[in-house]
Amino acid sequence: MSGKAARPKPAQTGESKVSFFPAWCKRCGNCVAFCPRGALKRDQWGYPVLADPDRCTSCGLCEMLCPDFALSVGEAGPKPAGAGAPRGSRVAPTTSPERLAPEPNGGEEDGNG
Amino acid sequence: MPPVHRSVVYDWLRHDKKFPHVWCPGCGLGILLGSLLRALVESGLDKNQVVLVSGIGCSGRLPVYVDVGSVHTTHGRALTFATGIKLAKPELKVITVMGDGDATAIGGNHLIHAARRNLDITAIIVNNQTYGMTGGQYSPTTPLGAKATTAPYGHIEPSFDISALSATAGAAFVARSTVYHVTQLDQLLGQAIAKPGFGVVEVLSPCHTNFGRQNRLGSQVDMMKEFKRKGMRVERWRELPEGRRAESIPLGVLVDRDLPVFGQSYDRICDAASRRGEAGK
Ligand code: SF4
Ligand code: SF4
Protein backbone atom coordinates (compact mmCIF):
# COMPACT_ATOMS: atom_id res chain seq x y z
CA MET A 1 0.00 0.00 0.00
CA SER A 2 1.36 3.40 -0.84
CA GLY A 3 0.79 5.84 2.00
CA LYS A 4 1.53 8.69 -0.36
CA ALA A 5 -1.40 8.20 -2.68
CA ALA A 6 -3.90 7.61 0.07
CA ARG A 7 -2.95 10.58 2.19
CA PRO A 8 -5.75 13.08 2.57
CA LYS A 9 -4.88 16.74 2.16
CA PRO A 10 -5.02 18.71 5.39
CA ALA A 11 -7.76 21.31 5.41
CA GLN A 12 -6.31 24.76 4.86
CA THR A 13 -9.36 26.67 5.94
CA GLY A 14 -12.79 25.93 7.25
CA GLU A 15 -13.73 24.00 10.31
CA SER A 16 -11.36 22.14 12.51
CA LYS A 17 -7.72 22.22 11.45
CA VAL A 18 -6.66 20.43 14.61
CA SER A 19 -8.79 17.74 16.24
CA PHE A 20 -8.20 16.93 19.88
CA PHE A 21 -8.80 13.56 21.51
CA PRO A 22 -8.65 14.38 25.21
CA ALA A 23 -9.20 10.77 26.33
CA TRP A 24 -5.65 10.04 25.23
CA CYS A 25 -4.05 13.36 26.18
CA LYS A 26 -1.67 13.37 29.14
CA ARG A 27 -1.36 17.16 29.20
CA CYS A 28 2.38 17.02 28.64
CA GLY A 29 2.47 20.33 26.82
CA ASN A 30 4.63 19.31 23.84
CA CYS A 31 2.10 20.48 21.28
CA VAL A 32 1.65 23.90 22.89
CA ALA A 33 5.38 24.38 23.48
CA PHE A 34 6.50 23.44 19.98
CA CYS A 35 3.82 24.87 17.70
CA PRO A 36 6.01 27.13 15.58
CA ARG A 37 3.14 29.60 15.17
CA GLY A 38 1.99 29.79 18.77
CA ALA A 39 -1.50 28.76 17.70
CA LEU A 40 -2.17 26.38 20.58
CA LYS A 41 -2.84 27.27 24.20
CA ARG A 42 -3.65 25.27 27.29
CA ASP A 43 -7.12 25.46 28.76
CA GLN A 44 -7.70 25.77 32.49
CA TRP A 45 -7.17 22.03 32.89
CA GLY A 46 -3.97 21.98 30.87
CA TYR A 47 -5.49 20.43 27.74
CA PRO A 48 -4.52 21.99 24.42
CA VAL A 49 -6.95 24.11 22.43
CA LEU A 50 -6.48 25.79 19.09
CA ALA A 51 -6.60 29.30 20.48
CA ASP A 52 -5.67 31.08 17.27
CA PRO A 53 -6.84 29.08 14.25
CA ASP A 54 -5.80 31.80 11.83
CA ARG A 55 -2.18 31.38 12.82
CA CYS A 56 -2.22 27.60 12.28
CA THR A 57 -0.60 26.62 8.98
CA SER A 58 -1.54 22.92 9.31
CA CYS A 59 2.15 22.08 9.41
CA GLY A 60 1.40 18.99 11.51
CA LEU A 61 4.26 19.41 13.95
CA CYS A 62 1.95 19.24 16.97
CA GLU A 63 0.60 15.91 15.76
CA MET A 64 4.08 14.51 15.21
CA LEU A 65 5.41 15.72 18.57
CA CYS A 66 2.42 14.42 20.51
CA PRO A 67 3.59 11.21 22.19
CA ASP A 68 0.01 10.05 22.72
CA PHE A 69 -1.75 10.33 19.35
CA ALA A 70 -4.07 12.75 21.09
CA LEU A 71 -4.40 15.31 18.35
CA SER A 72 -4.62 15.28 14.62
CA VAL A 73 -4.12 17.92 11.98
CA GLY A 74 -6.27 17.99 8.89
CA GLU A 75 -9.40 16.01 8.77
CA ALA A 76 -10.82 14.47 11.92
CA GLY A 77 -9.65 11.00 12.84
CA PRO A 78 -11.89 7.93 12.92
CA LYS A 79 -15.28 8.75 14.33
CA PRO A 80 -16.32 7.11 17.56
CA ALA A 81 -18.69 4.21 17.17
CA GLY A 82 -22.33 4.70 18.03
CA ALA A 83 -23.29 7.87 19.74
CA GLY A 84 -19.68 8.59 20.62
CA ALA A 85 -18.08 9.42 23.89
CA PRO A 86 -19.88 11.74 26.23
CA ARG A 87 -19.17 15.38 25.65
CA GLY A 88 -15.83 16.35 27.12
CA SER A 89 -15.07 12.80 28.20
CA ARG A 90 -11.59 12.37 29.59
CA VAL A 91 -12.06 8.81 30.70
CA ALA A 92 -11.35 5.96 28.34
CA PRO A 93 -14.72 4.25 27.89
CA THR A 94 -13.35 1.23 25.99
CA THR A 95 -10.02 -0.07 24.83
CA SER A 96 -10.73 0.39 21.15
CA PRO A 97 -8.93 3.46 19.80
CA GLU A 98 -11.82 4.43 17.58
CA ARG A 99 -14.21 4.38 20.44
CA LEU A 100 -11.75 5.96 22.77
CA ALA A 101 -11.56 9.00 20.62
CA PRO A 102 -14.26 11.41 21.73
CA GLU A 103 -15.84 13.74 19.20
CA PRO A 104 -13.15 16.03 17.85
CA ASN A 105 -12.72 18.90 20.26
CA GLY A 106 -14.85 17.03 22.75
CA GLY A 107 -17.90 18.20 20.81
CA GLU A 108 -17.14 21.73 21.85
CA GLU A 109 -16.79 24.86 19.80
CA ASP A 110 -13.21 25.47 18.84
CA GLY A 111 -13.82 29.06 17.89
CA ASN A 112 -13.27 28.18 14.28
CA GLY A 113 -16.68 28.29 12.77
CA MET B 1 6.98 16.73 4.99
CA PRO B 2 3.29 16.46 5.76
CA PRO B 3 2.56 13.73 8.28
CA VAL B 4 0.94 10.49 7.28
CA HIS B 5 -2.56 10.97 8.47
CA ARG B 6 -3.51 9.86 11.95
CA SER B 7 -6.13 7.40 10.75
CA VAL B 8 -3.43 5.60 8.73
CA VAL B 9 -1.16 5.41 11.76
CA TYR B 10 -4.18 4.38 13.82
CA ASP B 11 -4.56 1.40 11.61
CA TRP B 12 -1.15 0.13 12.75
CA LEU B 13 -1.89 0.43 16.46
CA ARG B 14 -2.97 -2.73 18.24
CA HIS B 15 -6.56 -2.03 19.02
CA ASP B 16 -6.99 -4.43 21.91
CA LYS B 17 -4.31 -2.65 23.95
CA LYS B 18 -5.11 -0.11 26.56
CA PHE B 19 -4.55 3.47 25.52
CA PRO B 20 -3.25 5.93 26.49
CA HIS B 21 -0.04 3.92 26.65
CA VAL B 22 2.07 3.34 29.77
CA TRP B 23 4.79 5.91 29.20
CA CYS B 24 5.10 9.07 31.26
CA PRO B 25 3.44 12.22 29.93
CA GLY B 26 5.74 13.73 27.32
CA CYS B 27 8.01 10.69 27.01
CA GLY B 28 9.85 10.55 23.70
CA LEU B 29 8.96 6.89 23.22
CA GLY B 30 5.47 7.89 22.12
CA ILE B 31 6.94 10.27 19.54
CA LEU B 32 9.23 7.50 18.30
CA LEU B 33 6.27 5.12 18.07
CA GLY B 34 4.43 7.58 15.82
CA SER B 35 7.55 8.16 13.77
CA LEU B 36 8.17 4.44 13.30
CA LEU B 37 4.56 3.86 12.24
CA ARG B 38 4.78 6.66 9.68
CA ALA B 39 8.07 5.26 8.38
CA LEU B 40 6.53 1.79 8.06
CA VAL B 41 3.45 3.12 6.27
CA GLU B 42 5.64 5.24 3.97
CA SER B 43 7.87 2.29 3.15
CA GLY B 44 4.84 0.49 1.73
CA LEU B 45 5.31 -2.63 3.84
CA ASP B 46 2.41 -4.86 4.72
CA LYS B 47 1.74 -5.50 8.40
CA ASN B 48 2.34 -9.21 7.87
CA GLN B 49 5.85 -8.55 6.58
CA VAL B 50 7.02 -6.74 9.70
CA VAL B 51 8.26 -8.14 13.02
CA LEU B 52 9.11 -5.92 15.96
CA VAL B 53 11.36 -7.31 18.69
CA SER B 54 12.19 -5.60 21.96
CA GLY B 55 14.02 -6.34 25.18
CA ILE B 56 13.30 -5.02 28.65
CA GLY B 57 12.78 -1.47 29.77
CA CYS B 58 10.41 1.33 28.86
CA SER B 59 11.34 0.82 25.21
CA GLY B 60 10.39 -2.84 25.55
CA ARG B 61 6.76 -1.83 25.65
CA LEU B 62 6.80 -0.24 22.22
CA PRO B 63 6.21 -3.28 19.96
CA VAL B 64 3.33 -4.29 22.20
CA TYR B 65 1.31 -1.39 20.81
CA VAL B 66 1.86 -2.20 17.15
CA ASP B 67 -0.40 -4.49 15.17
CA VAL B 68 2.41 -6.57 13.65
CA GLY B 69 4.12 -9.75 14.76
CA SER B 70 5.95 -8.73 17.91
CA VAL B 71 8.16 -10.35 20.53
CA HIS B 72 8.89 -8.83 23.93
CA THR B 73 12.01 -10.73 24.94
CA THR B 74 14.38 -10.90 27.89
CA HIS B 75 16.77 -8.13 28.87
CA GLY B 76 19.33 -7.33 26.21
CA ARG B 77 18.34 -10.23 23.98
CA ALA B 78 16.20 -8.52 21.35
CA LEU B 79 18.91 -8.95 18.74
CA THR B 80 19.33 -12.66 19.44
CA PHE B 81 15.63 -13.35 18.90
CA ALA B 82 15.70 -11.04 15.88
CA THR B 83 18.64 -13.01 14.45
CA GLY B 84 16.72 -16.25 14.75
CA ILE B 85 13.61 -14.78 13.17
CA LYS B 86 15.55 -13.27 10.29
CA LEU B 87 17.48 -16.46 9.53
CA ALA B 88 14.39 -18.64 9.73
CA LYS B 89 12.23 -16.28 7.67
CA PRO B 90 14.49 -14.01 5.62
CA GLU B 91 11.50 -12.49 3.81
CA LEU B 92 10.38 -10.71 6.98
CA LYS B 93 11.42 -7.16 7.84
CA VAL B 94 12.83 -7.50 11.35
CA ILE B 95 13.14 -4.39 13.49
CA THR B 96 14.40 -4.30 17.06
CA VAL B 97 13.62 -1.56 19.54
CA MET B 98 16.03 -1.32 22.45
CA GLY B 99 17.01 1.18 25.09
CA ASP B 100 20.56 2.29 25.85
CA GLY B 101 20.88 -0.04 28.83
CA ASP B 102 19.25 -2.90 26.95
CA ALA B 103 21.39 -2.49 23.81
CA THR B 104 24.77 -1.45 25.19
CA ALA B 105 24.98 -2.93 28.69
CA ILE B 106 23.37 -6.33 29.04
CA GLY B 107 22.95 -6.68 25.28
CA GLY B 108 26.19 -4.96 24.35
CA ASN B 109 27.83 -8.11 23.10
CA HIS B 110 24.87 -8.91 20.86
CA LEU B 111 24.92 -5.41 19.44
CA ILE B 112 28.55 -5.45 18.35
CA HIS B 113 28.33 -8.94 16.88
CA ALA B 114 25.07 -8.30 15.06
CA ALA B 115 26.75 -5.23 13.57
CA ARG B 116 29.88 -7.19 12.69
CA ARG B 117 27.83 -9.91 10.99
CA ASN B 118 25.83 -7.29 9.16
CA LEU B 119 22.55 -9.10 9.52
CA ASP B 120 19.67 -7.51 7.63
CA ILE B 121 18.04 -6.10 10.76
CA THR B 122 17.09 -2.57 11.75
CA ALA B 123 18.09 -1.73 15.30
CA ILE B 124 16.41 1.30 16.84
CA ILE B 125 18.25 2.28 20.01
CA VAL B 126 16.46 4.78 22.20
CA ASN B 127 19.08 6.63 24.21
CA ASN B 128 17.72 8.41 27.25
CA GLN B 129 21.00 8.08 29.15
CA THR B 130 19.52 6.14 32.05
CA TYR B 131 17.60 3.07 33.16
CA GLY B 132 14.23 4.78 33.28
CA MET B 133 11.90 1.93 34.16
CA THR B 134 13.79 0.88 37.27
CA GLY B 135 14.19 4.37 38.67
CA GLY B 136 17.14 6.10 37.04
CA GLN B 137 20.27 4.01 37.60
CA TYR B 138 23.26 4.91 35.43
CA SER B 139 23.61 3.18 32.09
CA PRO B 140 26.57 2.95 29.71
CA THR B 141 25.44 6.21 28.11
CA THR B 142 25.05 8.25 31.27
CA PRO B 143 27.48 11.14 30.81
CA LEU B 144 30.53 11.52 33.03
CA GLY B 145 29.57 13.51 36.10
CA ALA B 146 25.79 13.16 35.65
CA LYS B 147 23.71 12.11 38.63
CA ALA B 148 21.85 8.81 38.87
CA THR B 149 20.27 6.89 41.72
CA THR B 150 23.38 4.70 41.65
CA ALA B 151 25.67 7.72 41.22
CA PRO B 152 24.47 10.28 43.75
CA TYR B 153 27.78 12.14 43.62
CA GLY B 154 27.97 12.09 39.86
CA HIS B 155 28.87 9.29 37.47
CA ILE B 156 32.56 8.36 37.52
CA GLU B 157 32.69 6.50 34.21
CA PRO B 158 32.79 7.94 30.70
CA SER B 159 29.94 7.05 28.36
CA PHE B 160 29.57 5.05 25.18
CA ASP B 161 28.81 6.78 21.91
CA ILE B 162 26.24 4.30 20.57
CA SER B 163 26.51 5.42 16.96
CA ALA B 164 30.32 5.39 16.94
CA LEU B 165 30.31 1.98 18.61
CA SER B 166 27.91 0.54 16.02
CA ALA B 167 29.89 2.05 13.15
CA THR B 168 33.18 0.66 14.44
CA ALA B 169 31.60 -2.73 14.98
CA GLY B 170 30.66 -2.85 11.30
CA ALA B 171 27.05 -1.74 10.83
CA ALA B 172 26.19 -0.89 7.22
CA PHE B 173 24.02 2.05 8.19
CA VAL B 174 24.24 4.27 11.25
CA ALA B 175 22.14 7.35 11.88
CA ARG B 176 21.32 9.54 14.83
CA SER B 177 18.39 11.80 15.51
CA THR B 178 16.29 13.01 18.42
CA VAL B 179 12.59 12.93 19.13
CA TYR B 180 12.57 16.70 18.74
CA HIS B 181 13.84 16.38 15.13
CA VAL B 182 10.84 14.27 14.29
CA THR B 183 10.64 14.88 10.53
CA GLN B 184 14.29 13.89 10.22
CA LEU B 185 13.61 10.88 12.43
CA ASP B 186 10.83 9.72 10.09
CA GLN B 187 13.22 9.88 7.14
CA LEU B 188 16.12 8.17 8.90
CA LEU B 189 13.92 5.32 10.09
CA GLY B 190 12.66 4.90 6.54
CA GLN B 191 16.23 4.82 5.21
CA ALA B 192 17.35 2.33 7.84
CA ILE B 193 14.38 0.06 7.10
CA ALA B 194 15.13 0.15 3.37
CA LYS B 195 18.87 -0.47 3.80
CA PRO B 196 20.05 -4.05 3.28
CA GLY B 197 22.27 -4.99 6.19
CA PHE B 198 22.48 -3.93 9.82
CA GLY B 199 21.01 -0.46 10.28
CA VAL B 200 21.27 1.36 13.58
CA VAL B 201 19.23 4.44 14.39
CA GLU B 202 20.18 6.04 17.68
CA VAL B 203 17.29 8.13 18.93
CA LEU B 204 17.99 10.63 21.69
CA SER B 205 14.95 10.87 23.90
CA PRO B 206 14.24 12.70 27.14
CA CYS B 207 13.65 10.82 30.38
CA HIS B 208 12.56 13.86 32.32
CA THR B 209 11.02 11.66 35.02
CA ASN B 210 14.33 10.13 36.10
CA PHE B 211 17.39 11.45 34.32
CA GLY B 212 15.98 14.94 33.96
CA ARG B 213 14.77 15.19 37.53
CA GLN B 214 18.00 13.94 39.06
CA ASN B 215 20.07 16.30 36.95
CA ARG B 216 17.70 19.27 37.23
CA LEU B 217 17.14 19.47 33.50
CA GLY B 218 13.52 20.58 33.77
CA SER B 219 10.57 19.17 31.87
CA GLN B 220 10.70 17.14 28.68
CA VAL B 221 10.03 20.38 26.83
CA ASP B 222 13.22 21.85 28.29
CA MET B 223 15.15 18.69 27.43
CA MET B 224 13.82 18.72 23.87
CA LYS B 225 14.78 22.39 23.52
CA GLU B 226 18.27 21.31 24.50
CA PHE B 227 18.21 18.73 21.67
CA LYS B 228 17.13 21.54 19.38
CA ARG B 229 19.96 23.79 20.58
CA LYS B 230 22.68 21.14 20.38
CA GLY B 231 21.53 19.14 17.36
CA MET B 232 23.41 19.86 14.15
CA ARG B 233 23.37 18.19 10.76
CA VAL B 234 26.41 15.93 10.60
CA GLU B 235 27.56 17.54 7.35
CA ARG B 236 27.85 20.88 9.13
CA TRP B 237 29.24 19.30 12.27
CA ARG B 238 32.14 17.77 10.34
CA GLU B 239 33.18 21.23 9.20
CA LEU B 240 33.51 22.47 12.78
CA PRO B 241 37.01 22.81 14.19
CA GLU B 242 37.92 19.83 16.42
CA GLY B 243 37.73 21.87 19.59
CA ARG B 244 34.13 22.92 19.05
CA ARG B 245 32.61 19.59 18.09
CA ALA B 246 31.82 18.48 21.63
CA GLU B 247 29.31 21.33 22.04
CA SER B 248 27.02 19.93 19.37
CA ILE B 249 25.42 16.58 18.63
CA PRO B 250 25.83 15.42 15.02
CA LEU B 251 22.52 14.26 13.57
CA GLY B 252 21.66 12.55 10.31
CA VAL B 253 23.20 9.67 8.38
CA LEU B 254 26.60 9.02 9.96
CA VAL B 255 27.52 5.88 8.02
CA ASP B 256 25.99 4.41 4.87
CA ARG B 257 28.06 1.73 3.17
CA ASP B 258 27.50 -1.41 1.17
CA LEU B 259 28.89 -4.47 2.93
CA PRO B 260 28.23 -8.19 2.43
CA VAL B 261 24.92 -8.99 4.11
CA PHE B 262 24.96 -12.07 6.35
CA GLY B 263 21.83 -13.69 4.94
CA GLN B 264 23.10 -13.52 1.37
CA SER B 265 26.53 -14.85 2.32
CA TYR B 266 24.83 -17.67 4.20
CA ASP B 267 22.68 -18.58 1.18
CA ARG B 268 25.80 -18.72 -1.00
CA ILE B 269 27.54 -21.02 1.46
CA CYS B 270 24.48 -23.28 1.57
CA ASP B 271 24.40 -23.41 -2.23
CA ALA B 272 28.09 -24.23 -2.47
CA ALA B 273 27.82 -26.91 0.21
CA SER B 274 24.82 -28.58 -1.38
CA ARG B 275 26.49 -28.50 -4.82
CA ARG B 276 29.53 -30.20 -3.38
CA GLY B 277 27.27 -32.71 -1.65
CA GLU B 278 25.54 -33.51 -4.96
CA ALA B 279 28.86 -33.88 -6.78
CA GLY B 280 30.13 -36.30 -4.14
CA LYS B 281 27.16 -38.63 -4.55
S1 SF4 C 1 -0.51 22.29 12.64
FE1 SF4 C 1 1.39 23.45 13.00
S2 SF4 C 1 0.71 25.60 13.08
FE2 SF4 C 1 -1.15 24.31 13.37
S3 SF4 C 1 -1.40 24.10 15.60
FE3 SF4 C 1 -0.21 22.32 14.88
S4 SF4 C 1 1.95 22.96 15.11
FE4 SF4 C 1 0.71 24.82 15.22
S1 SF4 D 1 1.35 16.74 23.00
FE1 SF4 D 1 -0.41 15.29 23.00
S2 SF4 D 1 -0.49 14.43 25.09
FE2 SF4 D 1 0.82 16.28 25.16
S3 SF4 D 1 -0.58 17.96 25.73
FE3 SF4 D 1 -0.49 17.94 23.49
S4 SF4 D 1 -2.22 16.61 22.84
FE4 SF4 D 1 -1.87 16.22 25.03
Side-chain angles (χ1 to χ4, degrees):
Chain A
M1 182 193 90
S2 159
K4 277 201 178 84
R7 183 191 297 150
K9 280 222 163 49
Q12 291 303 314
T13 54
E15 293 150 36
S16 176
K17 289 178 178 174
V18 186
S19 310
F20 300 95
F21 302 89
W24 286 21
C25 174
K26 291 178 185 160
R27 299 182 281 181
C28 70
N30 275 3
C31 53
V32 177
F34 293 113
C35 168
R37 305 275 299 157
L40 299 167
K41 293 232 158 32
R42 288 174 158 214
D43 70 9
Q44 56 174 322
W45 309 106
Y47 289 90
V49 289
L50 186 59
D52 199 343
D54 291 340
R55 291 195 56 81
C56 171
T57 56
S58 297
C59 69
L61 202 62
C62 52
E63 174 176 335
M64 296 172 92
L65 287 176
C66 171
D68 280 277
F69 308 97
L71 48 72
S72 178
V73 181
E75 78 175 42
K79 277 273 159 65
R87 182 186 149 103
S89 163
R90 273 146 198 181
V91 184
T94 84
T95 51
S96 151
E98 276 89 351
R99 277 186 265 156
L100 256 182
E103 286 292 337
N105 306 317
E108 289 163 20
E109 282 283 323
D110 63 1
N112 222 352
Chain B
M1 188 178 76
V4 174
H5 191 262
R6 184 178 191 267
S7 52
V8 182
V9 168
Y10 240 31
D11 199 40
W12 283 65
L13 290 178
R14 199 170 269 168
H15 285 212
D16 57 357
K17 284 289 157 190
K18 194 163 167 282
F19 283 91
H21 50 55
V22 294
W23 300 309
C24 298
C27 175
L29 281 162
I31 302 175
L32 169 66
L33 173 57
S35 191
L36 175 61
L37 295 182
R38 287 188 297 271
L40 286 169
V41 172
E42 283 282 312
S43 63
L45 288 161
D46 187 82
K47 281 188 199 173
N48 294 326
Q49 291 172 275
V50 181
V51 181
L52 285 177
V53 189
S54 66
I56 297 297
C58 298
S59 64
R61 306 298 292 262
L62 192 145
V64 172
Y65 292 113
V66 188
D67 188 25
V68 298
S70 63
V71 200
H72 188 174
T73 74
T74 49
H75 208 347
R77 310 297 178 232
L79 281 169
T80 65
F81 286 80
T83 301
I85 295 165
K86 186 70 196 178
L87 291 183
K89 290 217 177 284
E91 67 277 14
L92 294 177
K93 181 57 75 181
V94 184
I95 301 168
T96 64
V97 183
M98 300 172 284
D100 46 289
D102 200 35
T104 63
I106 191 159
N109 226 351
H110 302 307
L111 176 69
I112 55 175
H113 292 290
R116 178 179 60 83
R117 276 182 185 150
N118 201 31
L119 279 152
D120 189 15
I121 289 173
T122 308
I124 301 170
I125 305 179
V126 189
N127 182 0
N128 61 8
Q129 305 181 308
T130 190
Y131 283 96
M133 183 169 268
T134 47
Q137 293 80 5
Y138 64 75
S139 84
T141 57
T142 303
L144 187 68
K147 294 228 167 68
T149 42
T150 44
Y153 302 104
H155 194 30
I156 56 170
E157 300 169 11
S159 56
F160 264 148
D161 176 336
I162 294 179
S163 293
L165 176 70
S166 311
T168 309
F173 181 90
V174 181
R176 187 195 282 117
S177 190
T178 83
V179 292
Y180 170 77
H181 300 84
V182 63
T183 46
Q184 181 195 45
L185 182 59
D186 282 20
Q187 286 167 17
L188 293 176
L189 289 173
Q191 277 176 270
I193 289 167
K195 176 80 188 178
F198 197 67
V200 175
V201 183
E202 178 185 359
V203 186
L204 304 184
S205 178
C207 177
H208 48 299
T209 306
N210 281 309
F211 187 77
R213 185 171 45 83
Q214 294 187 57
N215 290 285
R216 298 184 189 279
L217 300 177
S219 69
Q220 91 282 358
V221 169
D222 298 316
M223 293 177 79
M224 283 165 72
K225 283 185 179 155
E226 197 62 8
F227 290 153
K228 178 183 180 185
R229 193 179 68 77
K230 282 191 169 168
M232 185 183 280
R233 294 214 62 110
V234 62
E235 295 80 8
R236 260 188 69 205
W237 182 84
R238 287 195 179 118
E239 286 167 12
L240 289 178
E242 282 283 342
R244 290 197 42 215
R245 289 189 178 175
E247 297 161 22
S248 306
I249 307 170
L251 304 178
V253 179
L254 309 178
V255 174
D256 187 357
R257 54 193 169 190
D258 292 321
L259 299 170
V261 179
F262 183 85
Q264 289 158 13
S265 314
Y266 182 69
D267 288 347
R268 269 200 303 279
I269 294 285
C270 290
D271 280 352
S274 58
R275 267 200 308 278
R276 193 190 289 179
E278 306 261 300
K281 263 184 198 155

